[in-house]
Amino acid sequence: MDIRINLIHYPLYVLGPNKRIGIWTQGCSFECKGCISQHTWDKDEGVLYGVEALVKEVLKSNTKRVTITGGEPFEQAVALKELLIGLRDSGIDDILLYSGFSYRYLQQKFQDILELIDVLVVGRFEIDKPTEFVYKGSDNQEMVILNQNLKEEYMSYKKKRDRELQVINRNGIFVLGIPKIGRQIDEKV
Ligand code: SF4
């Protein structure tokens, strides 16, 4: 099975604790005002990646920590589940996933997939609700720690104020991470 991807990057330092690999899925229908990832909205852009190949790509990196964001990962729910199973079977033990859906909706529709995830950041981005929580885009979003073994580590970032961004060059300059509201920048320039 294939999954449509916008970007894969290792090392990633700004979306989740420690050094991680980041996977940005392609396609998002939410159209949040002020979204810095508008280049991930079109579900026909990006590249198709075999799930098995993607798991191998993750394993080539020197980390067991993965961040999956987008785009909206749950808009490719079947492929997402297959990817998560592959990652789990390969020993990945810290999976942070960003979604624009609410936690309640995901519990109702995708409980089987939630069981494969360690930490969620959920909810639409709302540009008029700034937050000090370094891994949230706006204050209405919710961080849900599903794996209690990771609770202390993730909670230690809750009020960290030195929000950082990461600049990479991948056929164009990308800025990774979550800028503070009021300092919006284009993610790809
Ligand atoms: S859910 Fe995320 S990627 Fe989709 S429009 Fe909202 S902020 Fe952008």
Side-chain angles (χ1 to χ4, degrees):
M1 173 165 292
D2 292 339
I3 185 164
R4 197 168 279 276
I5 295 295
N6 179 271
L7 180 70
I8 305 163
H9 183 72
Y10 172 84
L12 173 68
Y13 297 102
V14 292
L15 286 174
N18 298 303
K19 187 157 73 167
R20 317 173 67 84
I21 184 165
I23 300 169
W24 284 257
T25 61
Q26 182 71 34
C28 181
S29 307
F30 283 118
E31 299 187 7
C32 306
K33 185 181 171 195
C35 169
I36 61 161
S37 301
Q38 294 188 17
H39 58 286
T40 67
W41 285 6
D42 188 336
K43 65 179 174 48
D44 296 321
E45 289 194 2
V47 290
L48 276 176
Y49 224 100
V51 166
E52 213 173 300
L54 184 51
V55 171
K56 282 187 184 150
E57 190 73 27
V58 169
L59 296 178
K60 273 197 273 173
S61 67
N62 188 25
T63 182
K64 290 192 169 182
R65 302 169 188 268
V66 180
T67 297
I68 301 173
T69 182
E72 172 49 59
F74 280 93
E75 288 191 7
Q76 301 181 76
V78 177
L80 174 65
K81 183 174 180 181
E82 193 170 310
L83 172 63
L84 291 167
I85 290 171
L87 294 174
R88 279 289 188 235
D89 287 349
S90 306
I92 299 298
D93 58 8
D94 176 350
I95 299 175
L96 166 62
L97 186 140
Y98 283 80
S99 171
F101 289 108
S102 69
Y103 183 44
R104 187 178 166 76
Y105 177 86
L106 293 177
Q107 280 179 305
Q108 287 168 348
K109 298 275 185 188
F110 299 113
Q111 184 56 42
D112 55 330
I113 299 182
L114 296 192
E115 285 166 13
L116 298 161
I117 296 167
D118 295 299
V119 181
L120 285 165
V121 176
V122 285
R124 299 272 301 273
F125 172 67
E126 295 187 22
I127 197 166
D128 57 346
K129 294 183 178 155
T131 178
E132 293 295 336
F133 198 155
V134 70
Y135 294 135
K136 295 201 308 188
S138 55
D139 204 42
N140 61 295
Q141 293 178 329
E142 187 182 2
M143 176 174 273
V144 184
I145 301 173
L146 300 166
N147 178 352
Q148 294 308 303
N149 293 334
L150 297 175
K151 185 170 184 177
E152 198 175 326
E153 185 171 30
Y154 273 84
M155 291 311 285
S156 69
Y157 286 82
K158 191 169 180 186
K159 290 287 180 189
K160 194 174 171 189
R161 284 167 192 267
D162 52 341
R163 188 181 287 247
E164 293 174 336
L165 298 174
Q166 186 178 343
V167 179
I168 62 167
N169 187 350
R170 294 279 296 273
N171 298 322
I173 301 297
F174 285 79
V175 179
L176 310 180
I178 305 173
K180 205 165 185 171
I181 286 175
R183 284 180 170 182
Q184 297 291 334
I185 54 175
D186 291 332
E187 190 174 359
K188 188 175 181 194
V189 292

